[in-house]
Amino acid sequence: KRTMAVHRSHSDIIARFTFEELCTTELGSSDYSAIANHFQIVMLENIPHLNLKYPDRARRFITLIDELYEAECCLVCSAVDVPDRLFIGNSSEEDSGTDSDKSTTANDNVSPDGTMLAVDVAQSRGTALSSLASVRELSFAFRRAASRVLEMSSKSWWDEKL
């Protein structure tokens, strides 16, 4: 059984964390569930913009929000932007170049001895398609998390849950 230190809390009602404490360390859904089931109110400070440069941070944030939502916690948070604009879908600036899709033919993936190389080479505007799928999945999950942040921070939620 793991234990987790909560440095800023008041009884079993409210706990205060920074984004860094919860989303940049090796915590997962069971840790977030333990927090959510122990405290009625969670304060989360210093939420930065999230992007694919650090996908684990974005995924942890989404998991944290999902666990808090399922446990019907009330949320207070501070962030660099409104929830809908926290996730930036691309970790780098857009590539300059043509809009045409690039792909590699099967012959480009054959080694000199005739062996096929299993490489994900399909690209769109210089970005691997698997990365684009990841962006879409993360983007969808983040829209859900942003909506939940707004709901858990609302007066109506607090009136109902407390």
Side-chain angles (χ1 to χ4, degrees):
K1 185 175 180 178
R2 284 174 41 151
T3 59
M4 183 160 105
V6 179
H7 301 290
R8 298 178 292 172
S9 68
H10 178 69
S11 66
D12 293 340
I13 298 172
I14 187 168
R16 184 174 178 175
F17 301 96
T18 64
F19 175 88
E20 189 170 312
E21 288 173 314
L22 294 182
C23 299
T24 65
T25 58
E26 296 296 319
L27 297 177
S29 63
S30 61
D31 302 302
Y32 301 141
S33 179
I35 291 168
N37 289 305
H38 191 82
F39 297 101
Q40 291 179 300
I41 302 169
V42 174
M43 297 178 71
L44 185 59
E45 301 176 308
N46 305 322
I47 304 168
H49 281 121
L50 302 167
N51 60 40
L52 290 180
K53 184 175 182 183
Y54 302 106
D56 289 344
R57 293 178 183 183
R59 286 188 180 96
R60 284 188 185 109
F61 177 74
I62 290 164
T63 302
L64 169 64
I65 296 304
D66 287 345
E67 292 296 335
L68 294 175
Y69 185 85
E70 294 301 319
E72 299 184 344
C73 289
C74 293
L75 180 66
V76 177
C77 55
S78 68
V80 298
D81 211 335
V82 296
D84 290 341
R85 293 194 303 238
L86 287 175
F87 180 65
I88 301 168
N90 195 345
S91 62
S92 62
E93 293 181 11
E94 288 293 321
D95 294 332
S96 59
T98 67
D99 287 339
S100 64
D101 286 351
K102 300 174 188 176
S103 61
T104 306
T105 66
N107 290 336
D108 295 333
N109 295 325
V110 177
S111 69
D113 67 355
T115 307
M116 286 292 290
L117 304 176
V119 179
D120 178 10
V121 294
Q123 294 187 349
S124 173
R125 297 195 63 192
T127 303
L129 290 181
S130 61
S131 293
L132 293 175
S134 178
V135 169
R136 280 191 292 273
E137 291 167 12
L138 203 53
S139 184
F140 172 79
F142 203 85
R143 283 192 305 275
R144 182 187 71 237
S147 173
R148 288 179 169 188
V149 165
L150 291 172
E151 185 176 359
M152 290 186 294
S153 301
S154 71
K155 182 180 181 329
S156 60
W157 179 275
W158 281 57
D159 288 346
E160 181 183 327
K161 306 303 177 188
L162 292 181

PDB file of all heavy atoms in Angstrom, residues 31-49:
ATOM      1  N   ASP A  31      -3.740   6.919  -7.134  1.00  0.00           N
ATOM      2  CA  ASP A  31      -3.336   8.015  -6.259  1.00  0.00           C
ATOM      3  C   ASP A  31      -4.371   9.139  -6.294  1.00  0.00           C
ATOM      4  O   ASP A  31      -4.770   9.679  -5.257  1.00  0.00           O
ATOM      5  CB  ASP A  31      -1.974   8.570  -6.673  1.00  0.00           C
ATOM      6  CG  ASP A  31      -0.895   7.505  -6.645  1.00  0.00           C
ATOM      7  OD1 ASP A  31      -0.669   6.906  -5.569  1.00  0.00           O
ATOM      8  OD2 ASP A  31      -0.288   7.258  -7.708  1.00  0.00           O
ATOM      9  N   TYR A  32      -4.806   9.483  -7.507  1.00  0.00           N
ATOM     10  CA  TYR A  32      -5.796  10.545  -7.662  1.00  0.00           C
ATOM     11  C   TYR A  32      -7.137  10.126  -7.050  1.00  0.00           C
ATOM     12  O   TYR A  32      -7.840  10.942  -6.462  1.00  0.00           O
ATOM     13  CB  TYR A  32      -5.977  10.915  -9.128  1.00  0.00           C
ATOM     14  CG  TYR A  32      -4.704  11.381  -9.796  1.00  0.00           C
ATOM     15  CD1 TYR A  32      -4.419  11.020 -11.101  1.00  0.00           C
ATOM     16  CD2 TYR A  32      -3.780  12.174  -9.127  1.00  0.00           C
ATOM     17  CE1 TYR A  32      -3.265  11.453 -11.729  1.00  0.00           C
ATOM     18  CE2 TYR A  32      -2.620  12.610  -9.742  1.00  0.00           C
ATOM     19  CZ  TYR A  32      -2.363  12.239 -11.041  1.00  0.00           C
ATOM     20  OH  TYR A  32      -1.215  12.669 -11.654  1.00  0.00           O
ATOM     21  N   SER A  33      -7.479   8.863  -7.171  1.00  0.00           N
ATOM     22  CA  SER A  33      -8.711   8.353  -6.585  1.00  0.00           C
ATOM     23  C   SER A  33      -8.657   8.459  -5.060  1.00  0.00           C
ATOM     24  O   SER A  33      -9.656   8.819  -4.423  1.00  0.00           O
ATOM     25  CB  SER A  33      -8.937   6.907  -7.014  1.00  0.00           C
ATOM     26  OG  SER A  33     -10.106   6.391  -6.434  1.00  0.00           O
ATOM     27  N   ALA A  34      -7.514   8.149  -4.481  1.00  0.00           N
ATOM     28  CA  ALA A  34      -7.357   8.252  -3.027  1.00  0.00           C
ATOM     29  C   ALA A  34      -7.557   9.696  -2.566  1.00  0.00           C
ATOM     30  O   ALA A  34      -8.233   9.947  -1.558  1.00  0.00           O
ATOM     31  CB  ALA A  34      -5.978   7.744  -2.611  1.00  0.00           C
ATOM     32  N   ILE A  35      -7.003  10.642  -3.295  1.00  0.00           N
ATOM     33  CA  ILE A  35      -7.189  12.064  -2.975  1.00  0.00           C
ATOM     34  C   ILE A  35      -8.668  12.425  -3.094  1.00  0.00           C
ATOM     35  O   ILE A  35      -9.262  13.032  -2.199  1.00  0.00           O
ATOM     36  CB  ILE A  35      -6.343  12.958  -3.904  1.00  0.00           C
ATOM     37  CG1 ILE A  35      -4.851  12.786  -3.601  1.00  0.00           C
ATOM     38  CG2 ILE A  35      -6.754  14.428  -3.779  1.00  0.00           C
ATOM     39  CD1 ILE A  35      -3.932  13.395  -4.651  1.00  0.00           C
ATOM     40  N   ALA A  36      -9.251  12.043  -4.208  1.00  0.00           N
ATOM     41  CA  ALA A  36     -10.645  12.395  -4.494  1.00  0.00           C
ATOM     42  C   ALA A  36     -11.615  11.803  -3.476  1.00  0.00           C
ATOM     43  O   ALA A  36     -12.613  12.435  -3.133  1.00  0.00           O
ATOM     44  CB  ALA A  36     -11.018  11.938  -5.904  1.00  0.00           C
ATOM     45  N   ASN A  37     -11.322  10.624  -3.005  1.00  0.00           N
ATOM     46  CA  ASN A  37     -12.223   9.971  -2.053  1.00  0.00           C
ATOM     47  C   ASN A  37     -11.966  10.401  -0.610  1.00  0.00           C
ATOM     48  O   ASN A  37     -12.758  10.089   0.274  1.00  0.00           O
ATOM     49  CB  ASN A  37     -12.137   8.456  -2.191  1.00  0.00           C
ATOM     50  CG  ASN A  37     -12.770   7.990  -3.484  1.00  0.00           C
ATOM     51  OD1 ASN A  37     -13.923   8.295  -3.763  1.00  0.00           O
ATOM     52  ND2 ASN A  37     -12.019   7.284  -4.304  1.00  0.00           N
ATOM     53  N   HIS A  38     -10.874  11.105  -0.376  1.00  0.00           N
ATOM     54  CA  HIS A  38     -10.543  11.560   0.975  1.00  0.00           C
ATOM     55  C   HIS A  38     -10.980  12.998   1.239  1.00  0.00           C
ATOM     56  O   HIS A  38     -11.390  13.328   2.343  1.00  0.00           O
ATOM     57  CB  HIS A  38      -9.036  11.421   1.216  1.00  0.00           C
ATOM     58  CG  HIS A  38      -8.641  11.611   2.640  1.00  0.00           C
ATOM     59  ND1 HIS A  38      -8.733  10.610   3.573  1.00  0.00           N
ATOM     60  CD2 HIS A  38      -8.185  12.701   3.297  1.00  0.00           C
ATOM     61  CE1 HIS A  38      -8.334  11.064   4.748  1.00  0.00           C
ATOM     62  NE2 HIS A  38      -7.999  12.334   4.617  1.00  0.00           N
ATOM     63  N   PHE A  39     -10.894  13.848   0.221  1.00  0.00           N
ATOM     64  CA  PHE A  39     -11.188  15.269   0.383  1.00  0.00           C
ATOM     65  C   PHE A  39     -12.432  15.659  -0.411  1.00  0.00           C
ATOM     66  O   PHE A  39     -12.648  15.163  -1.506  1.00  0.00           O
ATOM     67  CB  PHE A  39     -10.006  16.127  -0.068  1.00  0.00           C
ATOM     68  CG  PHE A  39      -8.762  15.896   0.749  1.00  0.00           C
ATOM     69  CD1 PHE A  39      -7.740  15.101   0.264  1.00  0.00           C
ATOM     70  CD2 PHE A  39      -8.626  16.468   2.017  1.00  0.00           C
ATOM     71  CE1 PHE A  39      -6.598  14.872   1.019  1.00  0.00           C
ATOM     72  CE2 PHE A  39      -7.486  16.252   2.772  1.00  0.00           C
ATOM     73  CZ  PHE A  39      -6.475  15.456   2.278  1.00  0.00           C
ATOM     74  N   GLN A  40     -13.211  16.587   0.140  1.00  0.00           N
ATOM     75  CA  GLN A  40     -14.384  17.096  -0.563  1.00  0.00           C
ATOM     76  C   GLN A  40     -14.019  18.203  -1.544  1.00  0.00           C
ATOM     77  O   GLN A  40     -14.660  18.360  -2.572  1.00  0.00           O
ATOM     78  CB  GLN A  40     -15.394  17.664   0.432  1.00  0.00           C
ATOM     79  CG  GLN A  40     -16.065  16.642   1.303  1.00  0.00           C
ATOM     80  CD  GLN A  40     -17.017  17.338   2.268  1.00  0.00           C
ATOM     81  OE1 GLN A  40     -16.623  18.172   3.065  1.00  0.00           O
ATOM     82  NE2 GLN A  40     -18.283  16.995   2.154  1.00  0.00           N
ATOM     83  N   ILE A  41     -13.000  18.995  -1.179  1.00  0.00           N
ATOM     84  CA  ILE A  41     -12.582  20.129  -1.998  1.00  0.00           C
ATOM     85  C   ILE A  41     -11.097  19.986  -2.301  1.00  0.00           C
ATOM     86  O   ILE A  41     -10.293  19.743  -1.401  1.00  0.00           O
ATOM     87  CB  ILE A  41     -12.821  21.473  -1.268  1.00  0.00           C
ATOM     88  CG1 ILE A  41     -14.295  21.622  -0.887  1.00  0.00           C
ATOM     89  CG2 ILE A  41     -12.352  22.643  -2.130  1.00  0.00           C
ATOM     90  CD1 ILE A  41     -14.568  22.780   0.070  1.00  0.00           C
ATOM     91  N   VAL A  42     -10.749  20.143  -3.558  1.00  0.00           N
ATOM     92  CA  VAL A  42      -9.343  20.101  -3.969  1.00  0.00           C
ATOM     93  C   VAL A  42      -9.012  21.425  -4.639  1.00  0.00           C
ATOM     94  O   VAL A  42      -9.732  21.889  -5.526  1.00  0.00           O
ATOM     95  CB  VAL A  42      -9.063  18.921  -4.923  1.00  0.00           C
ATOM     96  CG1 VAL A  42      -7.648  18.978  -5.464  1.00  0.00           C
ATOM     97  CG2 VAL A  42      -9.321  17.597  -4.205  1.00  0.00           C
ATOM     98  N   MET A  43      -7.920  22.018  -4.177  1.00  0.00           N
ATOM     99  CA  MET A  43      -7.399  23.238  -4.800  1.00  0.00           C
ATOM    100  C   MET A  43      -6.184  22.830  -5.618  1.00  0.00           C
ATOM    101  O   MET A  43      -5.299  22.145  -5.113  1.00  0.00           O
ATOM    102  CB  MET A  43      -6.983  24.248  -3.730  1.00  0.00           C
ATOM    103  CG  MET A  43      -8.141  24.719  -2.871  1.00  0.00           C
ATOM    104  SD  MET A  43      -7.618  25.859  -1.566  1.00  0.00           S
ATOM    105  CE  MET A  43      -7.237  27.296  -2.561  1.00  0.00           C
ATOM    106  N   LEU A  44      -6.155  23.247  -6.872  1.00  0.00           N
ATOM    107  CA  LEU A  44      -5.049  22.931  -7.766  1.00  0.00           C
ATOM    108  C   LEU A  44      -4.494  24.226  -8.332  1.00  0.00           C
ATOM    109  O   LEU A  44      -5.217  24.971  -8.996  1.00  0.00           O
ATOM    110  CB  LEU A  44      -5.522  22.005  -8.892  1.00  0.00           C
ATOM    111  CG  LEU A  44      -4.468  21.486  -9.850  1.00  0.00           C
ATOM    112  CD1 LEU A  44      -3.393  20.695  -9.112  1.00  0.00           C
ATOM    113  CD2 LEU A  44      -5.108  20.627 -10.925  1.00  0.00           C
ATOM    114  N   GLU A  45      -3.223  24.490  -8.050  1.00  0.00           N
ATOM    115  CA  GLU A  45      -2.606  25.757  -8.431  1.00  0.00           C
ATOM    116  C   GLU A  45      -1.610  25.597  -9.569  1.00  0.00           C
ATOM    117  O   GLU A  45      -1.005  24.545  -9.741  1.00  0.00           O
ATOM    118  CB  GLU A  45      -1.841  26.336  -7.239  1.00  0.00           C
ATOM    119  CG  GLU A  45      -2.683  26.583  -6.022  1.00  0.00           C
ATOM    120  CD  GLU A  45      -1.849  27.051  -4.848  1.00  0.00           C
ATOM    121  OE1 GLU A  45      -0.839  26.384  -4.520  1.00  0.00           O
ATOM    122  OE2 GLU A  45      -2.212  28.081  -4.270  1.00  0.00           O
ATOM    123  N   ASN A  46      -1.451  26.689 -10.297  1.00  0.00           N
ATOM    124  CA  ASN A  46      -0.395  26.832 -11.308  1.00  0.00           C
ATOM    125  C   ASN A  46      -0.497  25.828 -12.456  1.00  0.00           C
ATOM    126  O   ASN A  46       0.500  25.239 -12.870  1.00  0.00           O
ATOM    127  CB  ASN A  46       0.990  26.735 -10.660  1.00  0.00           C
ATOM    128  CG  ASN A  46       1.166  27.722  -9.532  1.00  0.00           C
ATOM    129  OD1 ASN A  46       0.689  28.856  -9.615  1.00  0.00           O
ATOM    130  ND2 ASN A  46       1.823  27.300  -8.469  1.00  0.00           N
ATOM    131  N   ILE A  47      -1.674  25.673 -13.001  1.00  0.00           N
ATOM    132  CA  ILE A  47      -1.849  24.783 -14.152  1.00  0.00           C
ATOM    133  C   ILE A  47      -1.289  25.504 -15.377  1.00  0.00           C
ATOM    134  O   ILE A  47      -1.742  26.590 -15.716  1.00  0.00           O
ATOM    135  CB  ILE A  47      -3.326  24.428 -14.372  1.00  0.00           C
ATOM    136  CG1 ILE A  47      -3.923  23.806 -13.117  1.00  0.00           C
ATOM    137  CG2 ILE A  47      -3.475  23.499 -15.576  1.00  0.00           C
ATOM    138  CD1 ILE A  47      -5.437  23.687 -13.142  1.00  0.00           C
ATOM    139  N   PRO A  48      -0.301  24.895 -16.041  1.00  0.00           N
ATOM    140  CA  PRO A  48       0.296  25.534 -17.213  1.00  0.00           C
ATOM    141  C   PRO A  48      -0.444  25.146 -18.487  1.00  0.00           C
ATOM    142  O   PRO A  48      -1.375  24.330 -18.461  1.00  0.00           O
ATOM    143  CB  PRO A  48       1.705  24.925 -17.232  1.00  0.00           C
ATOM    144  CG  PRO A  48       1.468  23.518 -16.741  1.00  0.00           C
ATOM    145  CD  PRO A  48       0.377  23.655 -15.698  1.00  0.00           C
ATOM    146  N   HIS A  49      -0.019  25.714 -19.619  1.00  0.00           N
ATOM    147  CA  HIS A  49      -0.478  25.189 -20.903  1.00  0.00           C
ATOM    148  C   HIS A  49       0.087  23.785 -21.030  1.00  0.00           C
ATOM    149  O   HIS A  49       1.213  23.521 -20.615  1.00  0.00           O
ATOM    150  CB  HIS A  49       0.035  26.053 -22.068  1.00  0.00           C
ATOM    151  CG  HIS A  49      -0.755  27.305 -22.243  1.00  0.00           C
ATOM    152  ND1 HIS A  49      -0.205  28.558 -22.168  1.00  0.00           N
ATOM    153  CD2 HIS A  49      -2.078  27.500 -22.495  1.00  0.00           C
ATOM    154  CE1 HIS A  49      -1.133  29.468 -22.351  1.00  0.00           C
ATOM    155  NE2 HIS A  49      -2.288  28.855 -22.552  1.00  0.00           N
TER     156      HIS A  49
END
